[in-house]
Amino acid sequence: MPRKPSNLVYGVDDIPPLRILLVLAIQHIFFLTAGLITAALIAREIGGTPELVQSIVCMSMIAGGIATILQALNKGPVGSGYLCTEGIDPTFVSCSILAGLTGGISMILGMTVFSGLLECLISRGINRMRILFPPEVTGVVLTMVGLNIVPVMISNFFGISGKEDAVQPANLFVAAATLAGMVGTNVWSKGKLRFYSVIIGMAVGYLAAYLLGVLKASDLERISQSPLLSFPDLSHIGWSFSPLLLVPFISATIASSLKAVATFTMCQKINDSEWKRPDLNNIQRGMLADGLASVFGGLLGGMGQSLYAGSVGLSAATGTTSRIVAFVTGGMFITLAFLPKMAAVFSIMPKPVMGGALVFMVSFMVISGIQIMTSRMMDVRKTFVVGISLMFGISADIFPGLYRNFHPLLEPFFSSSLAVTTLLAISLNLLFRIGIARREVLELEPGVDSSQTIFAFMENQGAAWGARGEVIQKAKMALNEFFESASHLGIAEGKIVAEVFFDEFNLNITIRYQGTPVEFSDVLLEGEALLDDENAFINLSFRIIQQYADRVESEEKDGQCRVLLHFDH
């Protein structure tokens, strides 16, 4: 049972008051509307009319709302049960534009459905593919998901469109005021005011933008001119498919799927103070919902949907991860698709306001990625996986045309910093696994070897395997306790052989020796019973071993003694 961290006021199973629910849902919708810019961008790039843009945006909102509700389900085969909203992801921008230029909007919708079905298929085998996403891979991908937003974040924060644009003081002041409102409320506020940190910051930003002329009267007129109620136009809906687009959409789907693994891992971590390892069954259900989100997007005439990792950062920042917030957010997002006047309030958000909010949100995402990366012992192999993946991933943003002349079949894998990082992290992880033995043997000779031999062996192997530090600590203390007891009591004749086996979920130490068998009892002797027992020292020592290990077994056959120490990983 997950244990709610102390920094969360409302955990995933809690139900906040109605007023808090509504405000938190509005904050999530503010972030989701940023993804609608991506839908408009794709539609315009393929020559879409304003009416087509509006229809695609509205249908994308409906698909996103349905997917967000589906993702929050915690019973049945679909849904992670977490507050993790679904929106339009930049990962699919390049391949969607390519599909649109190849076969129009129907090609985008058809390939989007294909991408969603592919992720659904990947989710079914996620338990067998856990070798592809150890913590250093999921952590580096999640970190890059946050860093991937930085170019958009900075351009919005300073209110610029390109490198040659000059920064206007008014834009900088609006962004700084927005960020200050969010950070100040989050850090120094008392009580439940922290829940409203994002909306307070945005309100400060809107006000500053209006007073400084960044938000103009013509923008406000857009609200008054929008109809109160309208139904989206569905005439653009149609589907087509092209085998020539398989490679770019498969590569984008793989990158999005790995990002989903990292995002669900982040969800699990921030909702459980005793988090140890990713829950693959939960990730499987969440990925299935994420894949169905894109299927819905394509079928309804909108863009593909993907996990909006920023919502996880937002929920961590506000201290509320209740899944009820997801249900309210999804319902409100669907409603906005039929209420253009309300949607216009979000559509006129000044760029500096969005930029300030993104700085606030990305800070939590990047730090969570780093924490996941470092949740395992880092050796030189993992250092290279993380370092090389990050550096070359960032290069795609620093030098946008760096990978432009690659072979057409390879170009999709280098289309963005996230794609480069994902490809390198997976490839290097598999490459550096070569030569790592998952089973090692340590021979110990009583009276000759010391505790330092055990400590050095276990620490070196733990780093090579990427094991959790606390598990290695327990294992080396348990093995050392057995070795010292066996040495002092003379129960072993000759060498003691310890065979250590590791996988992602288990660490087993099988100890073999010739000599006197030992028995591990669950009965703890106390007081006079302990003093009267001639084997009191042996029982106490082995009782200590049982406190370190999650399971202990012992047996003896033909003078060959065997002790198994099992540790959950």
Side-chain angles (χ1 to χ4, degrees):
M1 186 73 179
R3 182 175 180 181
K4 186 174 75 172
S6 58
N7 65 309
L8 292 184
V9 181
Y10 295 107
V12 67
D13 295 314
D14 297 331
I15 303 177
L18 180 60
R19 67 180 186 279
I20 295 178
L21 273 176
L22 294 176
V23 173
L24 291 171
I26 292 173
Q27 291 181 151
H28 282 281
I29 288 175
F30 267 113
F31 283 112
L32 283 172
T33 54
L36 301 178
I37 300 172
T38 303
L41 171 65
I42 295 172
R44 289 169 183 166
E45 286 293 320
I46 65 172
T49 63
E51 291 75 19
L52 176 62
V53 172
Q54 182 178 351
S55 296
I56 291 176
V57 167
C58 288
M59 298 314 296
S60 297
M61 292 173 70
I62 295 174
I66 295 173
T68 296
I69 294 173
L70 191 66
Q71 190 61 256
L73 298 177
N74 65 330
K75 294 182 180 179
V78 180
S80 65
Y82 289 116
L83 167 55
C84 191
T85 59
E86 296 271 352
I88 302 173
D89 191 273
T91 306
F92 293 93
V93 170
S94 58
C95 57
S96 294
I97 292 175
L98 179 61
L101 295 175
T102 301
I105 187 63
S106 64
M107 186 66 72
I108 296 178
L109 300 181
M111 297 307 297
T112 296
V113 172
F114 163 77
S115 175
L117 292 174
L118 178 60
E119 185 174 358
C120 291
L121 182 62
I122 293 174
S123 73
R124 298 300 86 192
I126 200 69
N127 286 302
R128 299 183 182 89
M129 294 186 292
R130 62 177 181 265
I131 191 176
L132 296 177
F133 45 84
E136 63 271 17
V137 173
T138 54
V140 78
V141 170
L142 182 59
T143 300
M144 184 50 70
V145 169
L147 296 179
N148 199 52
I149 303 174
V150 169
V152 176
M153 178 188 76
I154 294 299
S155 63
N156 278 274
F157 190 90
F158 291 104
I160 59 176
S161 300
K163 296 180 180 179
E164 304 301 324
D165 293 349
V167 177
Q168 300 298 322
N171 289 330
L172 182 58
F173 182 85
V174 170
T178 302
L179 181 59
M182 294 179 184
V183 173
T185 307
N186 195 269
V187 174
W188 292 294
S189 66
K190 296 182 179 180
K192 298 181 179 181
L193 196 61
R194 176 188 174 193
F195 299 140
Y196 314 115
S197 57
V198 172
I199 203 139
I200 288 174
M202 286 188 167
V204 171
Y206 267 83
L207 178 61
Y210 180 74
L211 295 176
L212 294 174
V214 177
L215 185 63
K216 299 179 173 56
S218 58
D219 296 321
L220 300 178
E221 290 177 2
R222 191 183 306 173
I223 301 176
S224 61
Q225 293 175 357
S226 300
L228 182 61
L229 179 67
S230 70
F231 193 85
D233 182 14
L234 306 180
S235 61
H236 69 284
I237 296 181
W239 307 275
S240 57
F241 177 83
S242 173
L244 299 176
L245 296 170
L246 284 177
V247 172
F249 272 89
I250 289 174
S251 63
T253 302
I254 292 174
S256 180
S257 298
L258 193 56
K259 186 199 76 172
V261 173
T263 304
F264 289 129
T265 302
M266 179 181 174
C267 286
Q268 295 171 10
K269 185 178 182 300
I270 67 174
N271 282 284
D272 186 1
S273 61
E274 298 179 348
W275 180 85
K276 296 179 179 179
R277 67 186 69 85
D279 181 348
L280 295 182
N281 290 327
N282 175 265
I283 291 175
Q284 184 182 64
R285 297 193 300 271
M287 286 186 66
L288 179 58
D290 192 43
L292 290 175
S294 284
V295 173
F296 292 152
L299 292 178
L300 293 175
M303 295 298 167
Q305 305 293 311
S306 182
L307 288 171
Y308 219 66
S311 67
V312 184
L314 174 61
S315 59
T318 57
T320 302
T321 60
S322 170
R323 69 171 62 90
I324 305 300
V325 178
F327 295 136
V328 177
T329 301
M332 291 178 67
F333 208 47
I334 294 172
T335 303
L336 286 176
F338 301 93
L339 301 174
K341 193 177 290 291
M342 292 182 64
V345 175
F346 299 97
S347 67
I348 65 171
M349 184 187 305
K351 293 179 67 174
V353 175
M354 176 58 68
L358 286 173
V359 173
F360 180 79
M361 173 186 70
V362 170
S363 298
F364 289 90
M365 294 173 59
V366 172
I367 294 303
S368 292
I370 294 174
Q371 289 176 338
I372 292 172
M373 276 189 283
T374 56
S375 66
R376 300 292 189 266
M377 298 175 68
M378 296 288 288
D379 65 344
V380 291
R381 298 172 188 253
K382 292 174 175 56
T383 298
F384 287 132
V385 170
V386 172
I388 293 174
S389 301
L390 277 177
M391 288 186 290
F392 280 93
I394 293 172
S395 71
D397 287 330
I398 298 176
F399 305 102
L402 185 62
Y403 305 105
R404 189 173 299 162
N405 295 326
F406 277 31
H407 190 279
L409 292 178
L410 296 176
E411 191 172 345
F413 295 98
F414 296 88
S415 59
S416 68
S417 57
L418 179 59
V420 173
T421 300
T422 301
L423 174 65
L424 287 176
I426 293 175
S427 302
L428 292 174
N429 171 60
L430 293 176
L431 175 63
F432 290 145
R433 291 176 70 90
I434 298 175
I436 296 181
R438 295 282 160 169
R439 190 183 302 271
E440 287 289 343
V441 176
L442 174 65
E443 293 187 355
L444 299 167
E445 187 171 348
V448 177
D449 292 307
S450 64
S451 299
Q452 188 59 38
T453 304
I454 296 174
F455 292 167
F457 173 82
M458 292 302 302
E459 287 172 1
N460 290 336
Q461 291 307 130
W465 293 332
R468 287 170 42 225
E470 61 269 29
V471 174
I472 294 297
Q473 178 69 18
K474 290 180 180 179
K476 70 181 185 183
M477 295 303 293
L479 179 56
N480 182 66
E481 181 69 29
F482 182 90
F483 175 65
E484 288 189 343
S485 298
S487 300
H488 292 144
L489 299 175
I491 64 174
E493 302 171 0
K495 292 184 177 180
I496 298 174
V497 179
E499 182 181 15
V500 185
F501 169 80
F502 173 79
D503 63 25
E504 182 62 25
F505 302 102
N506 305 281
L507 175 65
N508 292 326
I509 301 178
T510 303
I511 303 172
R512 292 185 173 87
Y513 65 95
Q514 295 281 346
T516 305
V518 297
E519 295 183 2
F520 291 87
S521 173
D522 292 331
V523 179
L524 179 61
L525 299 179
E526 298 179 349
E528 294 183 0
L530 180 62
L531 296 175
D532 295 339
D533 185 6
E534 60 181 8
N535 297 316
F537 183 82
I538 297 177
N539 291 333
L540 181 60
S541 178
F542 293 157
R543 184 69 180 180
I544 293 174
I545 294 173
Q546 287 179 299
Q547 296 303 308
Y548 286 125
D550 293 295
R551 189 176 76 250
V552 180
E553 299 176 1
S554 64
E555 63 179 8
E556 185 268 338
K557 185 176 182 181
D558 300 329
Q560 177 72 33
C561 301
R562 171 184 170 274
V563 175
L564 171 66
L565 307 179
H566 169 78
F567 304 86
D568 293 331
H569 189 266

